[in-house]
Amino acid sequence: MKINSLSIVPFVILISVTIGSCKNNNNSSTGTTEGNTAPRGVSENLKWSERMMLSEIERFPKASLLDFREQPKWSYTNGLVLSACARVYESTKNQIFYDYIYAYADEMIDSTGTINTYKLSNQNLDMIKSGDVLLYLYPKTKEDRFLIAMETLYSQMKSQPTTSEGGYWHKKIYPHQMWLDGLYMAEPFHARYAKEYIDDKDQQQQIFDHVVLQFDLIQKHSRDETSGLLYHGWDESKEQRWADKETGNSQHFWSRGMGWYGMAMVDVLDFLPEDHPGRERIITYLNQFAEAITHVQDESGLWWQVLDQGQREGNYLEATGSSMFTYTFAKGVRKGYLPESYLKIAKKAYQAIIDNLISVEENGVVNLNQCCAVAGLGGDPYRDGSFEYYIGEDIRANDPKGTGPFIMASLELDQ
């Protein structure tokens, strides 16, 4: 498949600048906001993981405003980028990264453990993702408010509406629907919380079983047997206009939807016990996923917005899905879930991102271009899941759904 030259952004020559100084707090086990100062520039001598994370701090000095928000919000994009930030901090011990994470939790969780802007009654799986921030911070800070907030998010998992087989609805306002997105939003948190905070072994086992069930059900209902790809959404009721009247599936294979699913598998395996019978099934699903994704990879190394229709007019090579697949393959190989051959595919994809989708400003700030801003199904205005819908959504630079996975892919590849 030929690469569409109009679908990529030329690489910009890197310009070296120095990093602005930040206050170093030697006690990283306690929260502080004193070091949360945006860098004045980003050095080309750093690894891409650090450069992109420092660039995110430059763009969004307050992590609560990630995703180009005007007002603070508890949301999945914050949790995604801050999870990446935590990995950068663990790799570098640069205090600015820890302070950036802590400042978000400090702002969004009040003294009683109440989560600002969060509503349990919405039963929205997206809101679970920022719980990963609390799972990271609480062991370091021992602040009760963070534990209380985690318990609130766990309570949502206990009350989340389900399909007839036990699959979580993506949101209360999207009844009977499972989306690929939801497995990444909720299941790594759910599995880790069970492992680290549930003492009762029977209860813990039930949670692990329910986590695995989500993957079993999405494989059962959303996987296309011919291509091995998974449809973005599945409606058990088959009532949605976007849903096939026989299968309940949406129409297309969306790049980021598949990206969410891949990351969900490699991340949830970090917390699923070695002896759990569902573990090998998820590894099998991951290998099937990797084979299918490789078959639709463009010769450039990138992936298309609508995965299997690269030659169709209007389709474009998209950054968020490409970054997610790169991370999934690289981590899958490192952890032994995928054959070594997939590391070569990950490296090719990563280099294609650097060459085609990364640009660098004069102050060293790094941009990730050609990110799909958002895509969903249903809602108001109604999103019909058509090809025209997926290619018609806004395209922008530095969407956190791309920068976060790019940072994590960079770390996996030591770049």
Side-chain angles (χ1 to χ4, degrees), residues 90-369:
E90 293 300 326
S91 175
T92 65
K93 298 303 180 182
N94 184 341
Q95 189 69 24
I96 193 173
F97 299 127
Y98 180 85
D99 292 346
Y100 192 64
I101 300 164
Y102 182 86
Y104 176 69
D106 187 48
E107 178 182 3
M108 300 304 293
I109 311 295
D110 72 14
S111 61
T112 68
T114 300
I115 305 171
N116 183 25
T117 77
Y118 169 83
K119 291 184 178 180
L120 175 61
S121 60
N122 288 344
Q123 300 291 159
N124 182 348
L125 287 185
D126 287 344
M127 299 303 106
I128 300 297
K129 190 64 201 167
S130 272
D132 293 351
V133 175
L134 305 177
L135 286 165
Y136 178 73
L137 287 177
Y138 178 68
K140 297 178 179 296
T141 67
K142 297 300 182 182
E143 293 187 40
D144 287 343
R145 57 180 177 148
F146 295 159
L147 178 61
I148 294 168
M150 273 195 292
E151 291 169 343
T152 298
L153 297 173
Y154 170 62
S155 75
Q156 179 185 323
M157 301 308 301
K158 292 193 289 184
S159 61
Q160 189 76 10
T162 68
T163 67
S164 62
E165 298 170 293
Y168 293 123
W169 294 4
H170 190 61
K171 301 179 185 180
K172 185 178 180 180
I173 61 170
Y174 297 145
H176 314 294
Q177 299 169 39
M178 294 185 72
W179 295 11
L180 295 175
D181 318 32
L183 281 86
Y184 183 71
M185 301 306 161
E187 299 318 316
F189 171 88
H190 204 189
R192 183 175 178 181
Y193 185 91
K195 180 180 180 180
E196 297 179 357
Y197 293 93
I198 300 297
D199 294 326
D200 184 280
K201 293 302 180 183
D202 289 338
Q203 184 183 358
Q204 190 182 66
Q205 182 69 26
Q206 289 175 2
I207 295 172
F208 291 141
D209 290 348
H210 214 67
V211 167
V212 172
L213 178 63
Q214 307 310 305
F215 293 89
D216 291 340
L217 292 176
I218 211 74
Q219 286 283 135
K220 174 182 177 180
H221 294 293
S222 295
R223 185 172 183 266
D224 174 62
E225 292 298 327
T226 302
S227 67
L229 300 171
L230 283 82
Y231 294 100
H232 183 187
W234 172 66
D235 174 17
E236 182 180 36
S237 71
K238 303 173 185 176
E239 295 175 350
Q240 289 296 315
R241 298 203 305 270
W242 54 257
D244 184 278
K245 297 309 176 186
E246 293 185 8
T247 67
N249 283 315
S250 54
Q251 302 173 50
H252 290 290
F253 308 116
W254 177 42
S255 179
R256 188 158 71 235
M258 285 286 287
W260 289 131
Y261 185 52
M263 294 200 302
M265 287 187 283
V266 294
D267 282 3
V268 85
L269 287 167
D270 287 343
F271 310 110
L272 198 63
E274 293 286 342
D275 61 352
H276 192 282
R279 185 179 178 85
E280 286 304 314
R281 292 204 302 279
I282 293 180
I283 293 174
T284 297
Y285 301 156
L286 176 61
N287 277 266
Q288 293 172 343
F289 168 98
E291 182 179 3
I293 288 297
T294 300
H295 283 161
V296 292
Q297 185 181 26
D298 184 72
E299 65 180 25
S300 67
L302 301 172
W303 280 270
W304 298 87
Q305 166 75 338
V306 179
L307 284 169
D308 62 337
Q309 301 196 31
Q311 299 285 15
R312 191 166 174 180
E313 184 178 358
N315 207 358
Y316 62 96
L317 295 166
E318 199 274 330
T320 69
S322 294
S323 298
M324 290 176 175
F325 299 142
T326 305
Y327 167 69
T328 299
F329 285 179
K331 183 175 181 180
V333 171
R334 177 176 65 82
K335 300 285 283 189
Y337 311 140
L338 293 175
E340 191 74 21
S341 58
Y342 285 104
L343 183 59
K344 182 178 179 180
I345 296 170
K347 288 180 176 179
K348 178 180 179 180
Y350 187 80
Q351 191 60 49
I353 293 169
I354 298 298
D355 291 344
N356 299 312
L357 301 179
I358 290 289
S359 60
V360 183
E361 299 177 14
E362 289 188 0
N363 65 349
V365 168
V366 180
N367 301 307
L368 178 66
N369 302 296

Side-chain angles (χ1 to χ4, degrees), residues 359-392:
S359 60
V360 183
E361 299 177 14
E362 289 188 0
N363 65 349
V365 168
V366 180
N367 301 307
L368 178 66
N369 302 296
Q370 289 190 197
C371 302
C372 171
V374 67
L377 296 164
D380 183 19
Y382 198 83
R383 300 167 293 183
D384 65 3
S386 64
F387 175 84
E388 291 73 20
Y389 163 70
Y390 283 113
I391 67 166

